[in-house]
Amino acid sequence: MNNRQIFLQHLAQTSDAPIAIEMNKANGIYLYDTNGKQYIDGIAGFSVANIGHSHPKVIEAVQQQAKEYMHLIVYGEFIQQPQTAYAKLLTDNLPPSLNCVYFTNSGAEATEGAMKLAKRVTGRAKIFAFNNAYHGSTQGALSIMGDEYWRNSFRPLLPEVYHFNYNNADILHAIDESVACVVTEMVQAEAGVKAPEKKWLQALYKKCKEHGVMLIADEIQSGFGRTGTLWAFEQFDIVPDILLLGKALGGGMPLGAFIAAKELMFSLTNNPVLGHITTFGGHPVSCAAGKAALEVLLQGEYIKTVKEKEQFLIENLQSKHIKAIHHFGLWFAIQFEHAEVAHAVIKKCIEKGLITDWFVFAADCLRIAPPLIISKEALKTICAIILQSIEEVKKGK
Ligand code: PLP
C-alpha cells in the first residue's frame, strides 16, 4: 500500500474529496510535495501560519522546550514557565479587562469553555449566535454553528440556543436579562469574509453591557494581525467580555484559549471545583511555539503592511468573471457566479502551485488568506495564477 492508499483507507476522512497531495516540507509561504513541486500556501493552513511555516525562531523554541520538558501534569496545577510567559505576553497586548488566559488544545475547546464560563458567571442558560457562524465541531460549538444542514444530523444538541442574522437589528431587540451570552465572530469567516457594520457591532456591545450579557468574540481566524490590527475588535472600538483564540495562537502547534477578566475566570475554580479541566491544554511546547511566533509578529512590520497588501490584491484581481470580492485585511473571498466555477478554479490553482480552498457557508467563493509575511511579488504570482485559472476554466480548458 502506498501512502495515498493508506491515507484513504486507514485515516478517517472529513469529506469524499480531500486535496490528498502528499507534502513533505514547508518553509515560509511555501509547501513542497514529495515530487519536489512547490506550492504557495495561499490560505496559511487556514489562518494558522500567519508568520509562515517553520520560522526558525519557532523551531528553536519548540526544540528548546522539548528538551526541558513536555507534558508534566493536567492543566492548572504546576507553574510552567512557557504558559506564564505566553499568558503575560498575550495579556500585555490586550485591554486590561482581558487579563486572564485559559489555554485549551483547540479553537472548539475555547468555544466550549467560554460558553460554560458565560453560563457560570450569569447563572443563565440562553445562548445567542448567528447564522453562517462557525465556532468548532464539538457538540457545544456545533450547537451554535449557523446552519441547520450541519446541525441537523447530530441533534439533540444544546438547548436554548437561538440564531440571528449577522449585521441585523433583530438580535438587538431580543437581548434581555435571560441571555447568558452572544457568541460572534468579529468578521464572519466561513460566510466568506463578511465584516459587520461598526455601528451594529457597537450597538450589540452596548445591549450586552446593559443586560449583563457576556459578549464572546471569536477571533480564532481574525486574530493575530490577519485584519490589519493585532485583534479585529480594535477596529470596532469594542472590548469583548470573553475572547476566543486558536489557529495562529500556537505558531503551528495545537493551542486554543479563552480569555476574560480574572474575576470571571476564577468562578471556574469553585461550585463546582474543577469547573473546566483539560489534560493537555496549554501544552508547554505549544505555548513556547506560540510565544515565539507572536514575538516575531510583533517585532516585524507584518501587521502594518496588511492594509497595503489588501489594496494590492483588490487592484490586481480584476476579471469580468468574478462576481464580487469580499475582503477584510489579508483575507479574501473571491465570489463566482456558481460554486462549480469556484471549485474548478480552485482545482486549477492547486495544479498551478497555489493552495486555496472554498468556505463552509460560501461554496461559490475562493479563499485567499496567505501568511502575513508574504511579499508583493508573491501576491502578484497569486493573482496571476488565479486570473489564468479563471480564464482556463471559462474557456473549458
Ligand atoms: N472558530 C472559528 C472562527 C474557526 O474558523 C474555527 C476553525 O476553523 C474554530 C472556531 C474551531 O477551531 P478548531 O478547528 O481549532 O477547533
Side-chain angles (χ1 to χ4, degrees):
M1 257 187 167
N2 62 29
N3 272 350
R4 184 186 168 82
Q5 289 162 333
I6 296 170
F7 170 77
L8 294 172
Q9 179 83 24
H10 294 296
L11 274 169
Q13 298 295 316
T14 58
S15 82
D16 54 12
I19 299 175
I21 297 170
E22 187 175 352
M23 298 293 181
N24 70 352
K25 203 172 163 50
N27 197 279
I29 65 161
Y30 297 109
L31 306 174
Y32 300 88
D33 71 15
T34 43
N35 299 317
K37 181 173 170 184
Q38 177 182 275
Y39 301 80
I40 296 178
D41 186 353
I43 55 173
F46 286 91
S47 302
V48 171
N50 283 17
I51 61 156
H53 295 274
S54 308
H55 193 287
K57 293 273 186 208
V58 177
I59 294 174
E60 191 189 327
V62 166
Q63 289 176 337
Q64 186 60 35
Q65 186 52 44
K67 264 194 247 162
E68 302 293 336
Y69 59 84
M70 292 191 269
H71 181 262
L72 299 179
I73 197 168
V74 294
Y75 178 75
E77 295 297 335
F78 291 161
I79 300 167
Q80 300 184 45
Q81 192 274 343
Q83 292 177 349
T84 54
Y86 198 17
K88 183 75 173 68
L89 181 63
L90 284 165
T91 53
D92 282 349
N93 284 282
L94 282 166
S97 59
L98 293 170
N99 59 9
C100 188
V101 182
Y102 193 121
F103 283 118
T104 62
N105 299 285
S106 66
E109 278 178 73
T111 306
E112 298 289 339
M115 289 196 289
K116 281 174 68 183
L117 178 61
K119 283 176 158 181
R120 173 68 183 83
V121 166
T122 61
R124 307 171 187 170
K126 267 192 203 165
I127 295 176
F128 282 7
F130 291 101
N131 293 321
N132 290 341
Y134 184 73
H135 301 288
S137 220
T138 50
Q139 293 201 60
L142 177 63
S143 305
I144 57 170
M145 186 171 179
D147 194 306
E148 189 54 20
Y149 166 73
W150 273 277
R151 293 190 302 253
N152 196 30
S153 302
F154 302 101
R155 290 197 178 281
L157 293 168
L158 278 184
E160 300 259 34
V161 172
Y162 301 87
H163 284 91
F164 295 84
N165 286 332
Y166 195 68
N167 234 341
N168 180 294
D170 286 353
I171 190 167
L172 304 176
H173 306 302
I175 289 176
D176 60 24
E177 263 87 33
S178 67
V179 182
C181 60
V182 174
V183 189
T184 183
E185 291 163 275
M186 286 296 94
V187 174
Q188 278 203 321
E190 296 308 316
V193 191
K194 295 281 169 62
E197 276 168 33
K198 188 169 178 177
K199 271 197 181 144
W200 173 78
L201 197 53
Q202 288 187 332
L204 180 64
Y205 172 65
K206 195 160 160 267
K207 270 277 171 192
C208 287
K209 279 268 167 289
E210 280 166 16
H211 296 280
V213 175
M214 301 279 106
L215 183 65
I216 301 178
D218 182 339
E219 291 241 28
I220 288 167
Q221 273 199 62
S222 60
F224 294 94
R226 173 73 41 208
T227 65
T229 46
L230 184 56
W231 318 114
F233 70 73
E234 296 171 63
Q235 295 179 48
F236 301 102
D237 293 327
I238 63 158
V239 178
D241 297 291
I242 308 177
L243 177 66
L244 308 184
L245 297 180
K247 295 203 180 267
L249 174 70
M253 295 290 284
L255 194 62
F258 57 106
I259 304 181
K262 179 176 184 285
E263 309 82 81
L264 305 184
M265 201 66 101
F266 273 50
S267 65
L268 293 174
T269 63
N270 60 80
N271 193 25
V273 64
L274 305 177
H276 194 71
I277 50 175
T278 162
T279 299
F280 285 119
H283 192 284
V285 178
S286 297
C287 284
K291 176 174 169 275
L294 179 54
E295 282 167 350
V296 169
L297 188 66
L298 294 173
Q299 283 157 16
E301 297 287 295
Y302 308 121
I303 299 178
K304 282 194 199 124
T305 62
V306 163
K307 289 286 172 196
E308 187 184 313
K309 289 173 182 170
E310 178 183 15
Q311 195 53 37
F312 182 86
L313 280 179
I314 296 166
E315 284 162 16
N316 287 275
L317 279 171
Q318 306 281 343
S319 160
K320 62 176 192 291
H321 302 299
I322 294 176
K323 187 175 165 195
I325 298 184
H326 311 280
H327 56 93
F328 203 90
L330 208 36
W331 196 11
F332 279 64
I334 301 173
Q335 190 178 7
F336 296 95
E337 209 61 56
H338 300 290
E340 296 75 50
V341 178
H343 284 232
V345 174
I346 289 165
K347 193 160 168 267
K348 279 259 179 250
C349 286
I350 295 175
E351 280 166 22
K352 292 180 191 302
L354 170 65
I355 300 295
T356 176
D357 216 331
W358 47 292
F359 292 84
V360 176
F361 309 115
D364 55 350
C365 291
L366 174 152
R367 182 189 302 256
I368 309 177
L372 308 184
I373 59 165
I374 197 165
S375 66
K376 287 241 179 92
E377 267 317 296
L379 285 176
K380 216 188 248 178
T381 307
I382 288 184
C383 295
I385 292 176
I386 293 172
L387 295 179
Q388 204 187 334
S389 298
I390 294 172
E391 282 309 313
E392 289 182 18
V393 166
K394 282 291 159 188
K395 285 187 183 142
K397 275 193 197 166

